Amino acid sequence: MTIEIPVPDDWHVHLRDDDMLDAVVGYTARRFRYAMVMPNLAAPITDVADAEAYRDRIVAAAPDDAVDFRPQMTLYCSSAVDLADLRAGIESGVIRAVKYYPAGATTNSAAGGTAMADFIDLYEVLADTDTRLLVHAESTDPSVDIFAREAAFIERELIPLAARLPELGITLEHVSTKAGIAFVDDHEQAGATVTPHHLAKERSDLLADGMRPDLYCKPVINSAEDRDALVAAATSGRADFFLGTDSAPHPTTAKYGPKAKAGVFNAAYGLEVVADVFDRAGAIDNLAAFTSTNGAACYGVEPSERRLRLEKSDIDADLATTFSTANGDEVVLFGADAATRWSVTLLD
Ligand SMILES: [Zn+2]
């Protein structure tokens, strides 16, 4: 089987900085066109000048054979954001979106919010400029079960916010549960990114046969029933679901220890993983909508005119399962098994 799709976009990615940026950016830049770059560096990106400087570092680090790589910069929602600066950054085209993190929910989120309602003035700037709010929807209430945290956040924070600002475009990032799908179903203003790993795995894969730190991410991979709901939504072709890999590298030293960091590095083989999911669901004809056209439409850009060919065929090569940074940190690649079933060619 062979399918051609417009070059995909990745609407949620962590490119990090310094030697990790140097090591990972090529995986994204050779496969994807737009890349929505998350602002949770060790020092969060809260002003436009920092976002611009970060974009310059990303572009400088990208390889010469990048497809048509266009990093899209985001600001980190916090009280440090100056609203005039934000507005100017949006109007000049530097800032594509703002990301809300609940404080403490995931990597480098200590500077995040404790209540969504604390930033209404900021959201009004977004609504006014037709700019989307990207939301990490996960309750940090320690009394809420880890597998129920997305649903709790949606109920307590996101539904009231959506009702208060119906003109605000919201992207529910890395949707992980049927509660998240229901939120998108119920709200015209909302869309969602879905990751390769949340589509391909469920929590038994994470926990049943030895604990798998490489599958540990936030929000955690949830039940098989939730996974099935994500697959149904993503493969449906519906316009409000699109690919955001949430590719998030951590060195093995941070993954294989008493406290594994949350994040799956899937930029290398995430597309093959998604192709596998769509193929198994009998929905390969809807792959382009998910990877290449729905997200573009949501963010008001045309799909790429360049195309990429996926061919289902057994690949006999030894595919890399790790890479190393210049400093010697090793990172595990997610999805190498799927990559043995698909060959990917960028067309001219
Ligand atoms: Zn993320």
Side-chain angles (χ1 to χ4, degrees):
M1 181 204 307
T2 299
I3 182 166
E4 289 182 13
I5 60 174
V7 169
D9 299 312
D10 183 353
W11 293 106
H12 182 131
V13 66
H14 299 268
L15 295 177
R16 311 296 194 213
D17 216 344
D18 304 317
D19 67 313
M20 189 62 87
L21 168 63
D22 290 340
V24 301
V25 67
Y27 291 106
T28 296
R30 292 191 180 97
R31 274 286 167 85
F32 298 95
R33 179 187 59 153
Y34 285 93
M36 190 75 91
V37 180
M38 292 300 120
N40 62 329
L41 300 182
I45 305 276
T46 56
D47 68 58
V48 176
D50 282 353
E52 221 167 353
Y54 184 33
R55 186 182 65 185
D56 290 347
R57 296 197 296 282
I58 293 166
V59 170
D64 293 337
D65 59 343
V67 184
D68 178 18
F69 180 51
R70 305 178 193 183
Q72 304 294 295
M73 307 314 291
T74 57
L75 286 190
Y76 191 114
C77 184
S78 91
S79 54
V81 174
D82 177 85
L83 299 188
D85 183 56
L86 169 63
R87 186 180 285 274
I90 292 166
E91 283 166 1
S92 67
V94 175
I95 301 303
R96 171 67 76 174
V98 170
K99 175 78 183 284
Y100 180 88
Y101 288 94
T106 189
T107 305
N108 296 337
S109 63
T114 49
M116 288 205 85
D118 290 345
F119 301 97
I120 295 294
D121 292 352
L122 189 155
Y123 310 146
E124 281 171 349
V125 173
L126 299 183
D128 195 38
T129 54
D130 209 13
T131 303
R132 294 181 80 81
L133 178 67
L134 317 181
V135 181
H136 183 119
E138 196 176 5
S139 173
T140 52
D141 179 345
S143 72
V144 176
D145 182 84
I146 183 69
F147 293 110
R149 288 185 179 186
E150 184 172 275
F153 185 91
I154 288 168
E155 190 185 319
R156 295 177 187 179
E157 301 257 7
L158 208 46
I159 289 174
L161 178 78
R164 187 162 170 185
L165 292 173
E167 66 282 17
L168 177 66
I170 295 170
T171 304
L172 175 54
E173 296 293 336
H174 37 57
V175 60
S176 67
T177 60
K178 52 188 196 308
I181 302 296
F183 173 76
V184 175
D185 286 344
D186 293 345
H187 295 81
E188 187 96 11
Q189 75 206 92
T193 54
V194 198
T195 79
H197 44 287
H198 286 99
L199 285 172
K201 301 292 181 184
E202 43 96 0
R203 63 197 182 194
S204 295
D205 299 314
L206 173 69
L207 296 168
D209 184 23
M211 206 270 283
R212 300 273 307 277
D214 298 318
L215 297 181
Y216 176 64
C217 61
K218 289 293 195 74
V220 286
I221 290 172
N222 219 302
S223 71
E225 190 183 349
D226 289 300
R227 189 267 324 269
D228 292 348
L230 304 183
V231 170
T235 60
S236 69
R238 277 177 50 184
D240 36 13
F241 293 95
F242 43 90
L243 176 63
T245 65
D246 196 18
S247 187
H250 288 292
T252 49
T253 48
K255 274 296 211 182
Y256 303 149
K259 279 183 87 161
K261 290 238 184 185
V264 172
F265 181 74
N266 62 27
Y269 306 130
L271 190 60
E272 290 92 327
V273 171
V274 170
D276 245 11
V277 168
F278 276 65
D279 184 35
R280 275 200 305 271
I284 201 78
D285 289 344
N286 287 337
L287 182 66
F290 180 69
T291 60
S292 314
T293 64
N294 290 349
C298 181
Y299 288 100
V301 295
E302 293 295 319
S304 177
E305 285 176 13
R306 259 191 108 172
R307 296 180 78 78
L308 183 147
R309 178 187 297 143
L310 286 138
E311 191 177 352
K312 195 175 173 189
S313 55
D314 288 334
I315 295 168
D316 220 1
D318 272 341
L319 294 168
T321 54
T322 63
F323 72 83
S324 294
T325 70
N327 292 349
D329 281 330
E330 192 180 45
V331 175
V332 173
L333 307 177
F334 172 76
D337 55 331
T340 63
R341 291 188 285 277
W342 297 89
S343 67
V344 179
T345 315
L346 190 62
L347 305 177
D348 288 328

